[in-house]
Amino acid sequence: MKKTVFIGALTVAGLAAGAAAAGTMDDVKTRGKLNCGVTTGLVGFAAPDASGEWKGFDVAVCRAVAAAVLGDPAAVEFVPTTGKTRFTALASGEVDLLARNTTWTFSRDVDLKFTFTGVNYYDGQGFMVPKELGVSSAKDLDGATVCIQTGTTTELNLADFFRANNISYEPVPIETNAEAQQQYLAGACDVYTTDASGLAATRATFENPADHVLLPEIISKEPLGPLVRHGDDEWADIVRWTLYALVAAEEMGISSANVEELSKGTNNPEINRILGTEGNLGEMFGLDAEWAKRAIMAGGNYGEVFATNIGENTPIGLARGLNAQWKDGGLQYAPPFR
Amino acid sequence: MTTITDQPKSQFRLSMLLYDTRYRSATIQVIAMLAFMLLAAWLISNTAQNLAALGKPIDFGFFGERSGYDINQRLLEYTSNDSHLRASFIGLLNTLVVAVLGCATATVIGIFVGVLRLSNNWLVAKVMTVYVEMFRNVPVLLWIVFTMAILIETLPSPSAFRGETPEASMNLFGSVAVTNRGIYVPEPLFSRGLGNIHLFGDSSLRFDVSLDLIAILVVLGASIWAAIAVRRRADRIQEATGTRPTTWYLTLGLIVIPTLILLVVLGFYLGLPELKGFNFSGGTHLRNSLIALWLALSLYTAAFIAEIVRAGILAISHGQTEAASALGLRSNRIMSLVILPQALRVIVPPLISQYLNLTKNSSLAIAVGYMDITGTLGGITLNQTGRELECILLLMLIYLIISLSISAVMNWYNESVKLKER
């Protein structure tokens, strides 16, 4: 009896002594480095190049945020995460920001307690098969063996797609993209399925990319974007508006080439507000006036980041499609900087 | 004049708790226990508080939700419409399958290798030494991945079986297909089968028991019982008359004929795998994830068991061997009748921990995509529901229960083989 009271008292004391956590931005500034969760290696989105430097479309988001907050696009500690470990890494505070082709879904946003800060790539799940199989539609895949990265929304979409079309399949769960590639190329599975952008990126690394085709069916909506923990809205705002700054920069015609010149002042007040020569947008969330300028200088505007990492002139060769600016019929649309 | 001094009355002072040797150890123990409880309470309250701050209080309600994912290897029927609990149950069975298969295989290989390592044949002994050292000194995860890579890269894919002049063909009169997706073997089927019994209704633990299997087991059990009776009778006749009647044909007939009759009655036939569409269909599919995991875990653990067996045999005095050979026993009978029974009591206790190791190592299954309990409950379910703490706590509890059960069974076995002292 006495022991119970004693433990109870201890618990109460422990509860009362809980320290309040400081804001993520302060943590990042004290540390002098941004911990950014990325994939374990998906060429075009996030992968170390020959000299060990991380490059890619998602990496560019990390670098832009680091440039905006810390003033140095290189002040990023990249933490490779698998589809399975990414949410734990973010929830536990191991990473400040997760930019890892992560699909924005209701339950991840609400139930897993994350805040998605926008969409940097509108994607959908596709299928890749060897050309020699002669398959032209995903509905012909009855009885096929399908390689799939475990712990992703693609796993659930796949189950739903085959169920809805009343055809059978054999899932082969796989931990990373590299293992999936190995099994697919060895013929241990007939089909590899993941986001269409990921398929294109994977195919680009094959010896003979032309021997493999992407099937026309896109079976899901996969809005991929960076995400942060729930509850630190200031930090979420910084990540969100850094991304929008890149998108708005493309719309306004600000590029890494002319940003220096435009930041001397222009006749367009919105450009001036973004680049900090007018108003005090940066100050409002605790940064200096030139935050967006540095973010744009880190890797260029959204269009430049797209073109250098995954665009049509890269081996990955993705068209802008849904990811064009809203003015060009796409979905990339930044709210006004005002 | 004499003064009578009273015996100093023993009076308890607080300082005696520290300076009096009678109380000191108790004081230290109490302080240590308080500190430990303080630490545990702090950890628990910290966790509870942080979870509450995250808005994720502990809740096991997600188990009833639809899982939404498929599992390739399942012993019971399961679809993506079933609950997370059902998916975890399927995963648990997969863990048990690989643990049981692995323990059995590892024991057989381990005893074999352990005995051969003591062989007088130089080559055999050295080969076994090389095997033991190779497997014992490389992490088991690497063996699992390596085995899987060999299976995937060296075996033909099902498409190699296709076409006019296929590059690969089926083995054993076209009944077994060895592919890099696994091995397809014939499955036993019954044209006049008895059906199944459904257990546990519609719950997540429901499973079907095949009546055909039960019938076969019952008949086989009865036959074996009859065969034992025949042997006992032969023993009695031998004791009474000195000559042992020939019984092998009786035993063989008793075991084979009733089972054969039953199989004919049930309409037994083999379902052969055949290439259909993308894959082989029909037959039983032993996936290469299971084969790789099973093989790697067995070979790895067998290396340790071999050393335990060798140590057990070396622990038996050489005089036993000499005495047995002086009685005229041949060397394989010396091993099986004299040395091994005595060695078992040295072997069994460390063997238990090897079985536990193998079972726990089976949680590396996800490296080859084998959906065990770690892959389902601790993998996809955890990931889709975001209930890390609940899933991991439950996973730890399940492994604890499995391990304690193995220990209990093996301890019971150890009791039965240990030296009886009277």
Side-chain angles (χ1 to χ4, degrees):
Chain A
M1 174 61 200
K2 268 192 181 149
K3 203 188 262 174
T4 333
V5 173
F6 177 70
I7 293 176
L10 272 181
T11 319
V12 172
L15 278 171
T24 312
M25 183 171 67
D26 296 332
D27 288 349
V28 172
K29 279 186 168 163
T30 341
R31 202 186 304 129
K33 270 204 175 229
L34 172 74
N35 290 337
C36 197
V38 289
T39 67
T40 49
L42 179 62
V43 175
F45 283 85
D49 66 4
S51 57
E53 200 183 332
W54 282 86
K55 287 270 166 63
F57 191 67
D58 282 335
V59 167
V61 175
C62 303
R63 294 209 187 277
V65 173
V69 177
L70 300 167
D72 179 8
V76 187
E77 181 81 32
F78 289 100
V79 181
T81 56
T82 65
K84 245 175 79 177
T85 60
R86 55 184 164 179
F87 295 127
T88 318
L90 181 61
S92 67
E94 191 188 340
V95 298
D96 307 310
L97 160 66
L98 187 68
R100 193 210 171 277
N101 320 76
T102 302
T103 307
W104 186 352
T105 66
F106 182 94
S107 62
R108 283 174 180 176
D109 199 333
V110 176
D111 194 34
L112 298 193
K113 309 286 177 201
F114 295 129
T115 300
F116 283 80
T117 59
V119 176
N120 66 340
Y121 192 91
Y122 287 95
D123 208 342
Q125 184 177 346
F127 296 97
M128 175 164 64
V129 293
K131 209 173 226 168
E132 56 170 22
L133 279 184
V135 174
S136 59
S137 159
K139 291 183 180 147
D140 301 340
L141 292 176
D142 192 12
T145 303
V146 183
C147 274
I148 181 146
Q149 274 190 62
T150 183
T152 60
T153 48
T154 50
E155 203 163 30
L156 308 184
N157 296 332
L158 182 72
D160 290 351
F161 174 79
F162 277 85
R163 201 176 174 77
N165 286 294
N166 208 11
I167 49 181
S168 68
Y169 73 108
E170 154 109 10
V172 175
I174 279 160
E175 184 94 45
T176 66
N177 192 51
E179 286 169 41
Q181 200 169 321
Q182 183 204 1
Q183 296 226 11
Y184 172 75
L185 286 178
C189 39
D190 302 303
V191 191
Y192 180 35
T193 180
T194 184
D195 298 339
S197 62
L199 289 179
T202 307
R203 187 173 65 163
T205 61
F206 288 175
E207 217 170 308
N208 296 312
D211 291 350
H212 303 269
V213 287
L214 303 187
L215 297 180
E217 280 90 350
I218 297 292
I219 64 167
S220 67
K221 285 186 291 187
E222 307 282 340
L224 309 180
L227 58 155
V228 298
R229 282 180 294 279
H230 245 327
D232 191 347
D233 289 348
E234 235 157 74
W235 176 245
D237 284 343
I238 290 174
V239 177
R240 177 176 301 122
W241 285 95
T242 306
L243 186 60
Y244 281 144
L246 301 184
V247 175
E250 189 191 11
E251 188 187 338
M252 311 272 156
I254 312 170
S255 69
S256 54
N258 64 9
V259 63
E260 226 22 283
E261 196 190 314
L262 292 177
S263 63
K264 291 189 186 111
T266 63
N267 293 330
N268 184 334
E270 184 149 19
I271 293 182
N272 292 349
R273 279 195 297 273
I274 294 175
L275 296 179
T277 47
E278 212 180 293
N280 56 348
L281 293 185
E283 225 174 274
M284 289 180 194
F285 52 26
L287 298 178
D288 60 359
E290 296 199 319
W291 65 279
K293 180 187 162 191
R294 287 194 304 269
I296 295 164
M297 282 168 71
N301 63 34
Y302 181 83
E304 288 175 88
V305 169
F306 195 102
T308 43
N309 292 303
I310 52 178
E312 278 171 330
N313 293 327
T314 63
I316 294 151
L318 291 171
R320 281 296 284 270
L322 286 177
N323 296 292
Q325 288 286 332
W326 63 284
K327 288 200 281 196
D328 307 330
L331 292 174
Q332 290 296 348
Y333 181 106
F337 278 74
R338 186 172 286 283
Chain B
M1 191 172 126
T2 52
T3 46
I4 300 163
T5 45
D6 281 336
Q7 263 322 80
K9 229 176 165 187
S10 79
Q11 205 173 17
F12 182 77
R13 292 182 310 276
L14 213 56
S15 61
M16 280 166 72
L17 279 180
L18 202 56
Y19 295 116
D20 193 317
T21 45
R22 281 174 299 173
Y23 304 119
R24 191 189 291 150
S25 69
T27 315
I28 292 173
Q29 285 179 45
V30 167
I31 291 176
M33 194 176 99
L34 285 182
F36 176 75
M37 285 184 354
L38 213 66
L39 185 73
W42 178 76
L43 278 177
I44 293 170
S45 77
N46 200 8
T47 312
Q49 188 192 353
N50 280 325
L51 283 176
L54 272 174
K56 284 164 68 170
I58 292 195
D59 173 17
F60 287 93
F62 66 90
F63 265 126
E65 288 163 21
R66 177 179 182 269
S67 68
Y69 59 91
D70 284 305
I71 298 175
N72 52 2
Q73 171 170 323
R74 43 186 190 262
L75 294 183
L76 308 178
E77 42 87 36
Y78 164 84
T79 68
S80 55
N81 269 351
D82 281 311
S83 65
H84 281 295
L85 184 61
R86 178 77 174 170
S88 308
F89 184 55
I90 302 286
L92 174 63
L93 289 182
N94 284 348
T95 293
L96 293 179
V97 164
V98 81
V100 168
L101 287 177
C103 286
T105 318
T107 312
V108 173
I109 302 176
I111 291 178
F112 193 71
V113 172
V115 171
L116 285 189
R117 225 190 139 175
L118 293 170
S119 162
N120 290 327
N121 184 322
W122 183 86
L123 186 66
V124 169
K126 287 299 162 212
V127 166
M128 293 305 150
T129 309
V130 169
Y131 160 77
V132 167
E133 296 305 336
M134 252 175 64
F135 273 86
R136 218 162 51 132
N137 295 309
V138 173
V140 65
L141 178 62
L142 297 188
W143 281 119
I144 295 173
V145 173
F146 180 66
T147 319
M148 185 69 171
I150 288 182
L151 290 177
I152 290 176
E153 300 291 345
T154 59
L155 296 175
S157 72
S159 59
F161 291 79
R162 208 174 288 136
E164 288 293 307
T165 49
E167 298 161 42
S169 58
M170 292 168 75
N171 308 342
L172 285 177
F173 313 109
S175 64
V176 174
V178 180
T179 75
N180 66 353
R181 291 176 192 176
I183 299 173
Y184 297 80
V185 295
E187 61 179 337
L189 292 171
F190 304 96
S191 56
R192 293 182 288 273
L194 300 172
N196 297 321
I197 325 177
H198 297 282
L199 290 181
F200 301 118
D202 268 342
S203 72
S204 288
L205 302 180
R206 67 182 179 275
F207 67 94
D208 292 350
V209 180
S210 159
L211 282 174
D212 304 318
L213 183 69
I214 293 182
I216 291 172
L217 286 180
V218 165
V219 168
L220 211 58
S223 302
I224 289 172
W225 182 79
I228 290 173
V230 167
R231 207 182 75 186
R232 289 229 178 94
R233 187 177 145 265
D235 285 346
R236 275 200 307 278
I237 292 176
Q238 187 178 17
E239 272 166 32
T241 65
T243 49
R244 190 179 179 84
T246 324
T247 58
W248 65 265
Y249 52 88
L250 252 179
T251 312
L252 192 70
L254 269 176
I255 291 182
V256 172
I257 292 170
T259 315
L260 267 183
I261 291 173
L262 180 70
L263 288 179
V264 170
V265 167
L266 291 176
F268 172 83
Y269 66 99
L270 283 176
L272 295 183
E274 61 181 315
L275 193 59
K276 251 190 202 161
F278 294 97
N279 279 313
F280 283 90
S281 62
T284 301
H285 182 191
L286 297 171
R287 287 172 181 76
N288 55 11
S289 53
L290 170 65
I291 298 174
L293 189 68
W294 173 21
L295 218 63
L297 284 177
S298 316
L299 289 174
Y300 177 80
T301 312
F304 289 88
I305 294 181
E307 286 300 273
I308 293 170
V309 169
R310 188 171 71 110
I313 291 172
L314 288 178
I316 307 302
S317 150
H318 194 58
Q320 298 271 338
T321 316
E322 287 167 350
S325 66
L327 286 174
L329 289 177
R330 274 171 279 123
S331 63
N332 56 349
R333 305 214 85 188
I334 295 178
M335 187 53 85
S336 61
L337 292 178
V338 179
I339 306 298
L340 273 184
Q342 297 187 75
L344 268 184
R345 66 198 157 87
V346 185
I347 292 172
V348 171
L351 198 61
I352 302 176
S353 58
Q354 289 310 323
Y355 285 174
L356 297 183
N357 277 346
L358 189 144
T359 310
K360 287 180 289 176
N361 284 341
S362 74
S363 62
L364 295 168
I366 190 62
V368 288
Y370 180 78
M371 294 315 266
D372 69 337
I373 183 82
T374 315
T376 55
L377 174 62
I380 307 178
T381 293
L382 182 153
N383 210 284
Q384 305 294 3
T385 60
R387 297 279 167 194
E388 296 93 355
L389 199 72
E390 291 90 334
C391 288
I392 296 294
L393 281 178
L394 211 63
L395 204 54
M396 287 161 72
L397 185 71
I398 288 171
Y399 276 110
L400 188 68
I401 292 173
I402 298 176
S403 295
L404 289 180
S405 314
I406 296 175
S407 290
V409 170
M410 290 303 290
N411 279 329
W412 169 80
Y413 177 67
N414 190 32
E415 280 300 309
S416 68
V417 296
K418 82 173 185 195
L419 203 58
K420 306 277 188 305
E421 286 175 349
R422 295 188 178 93

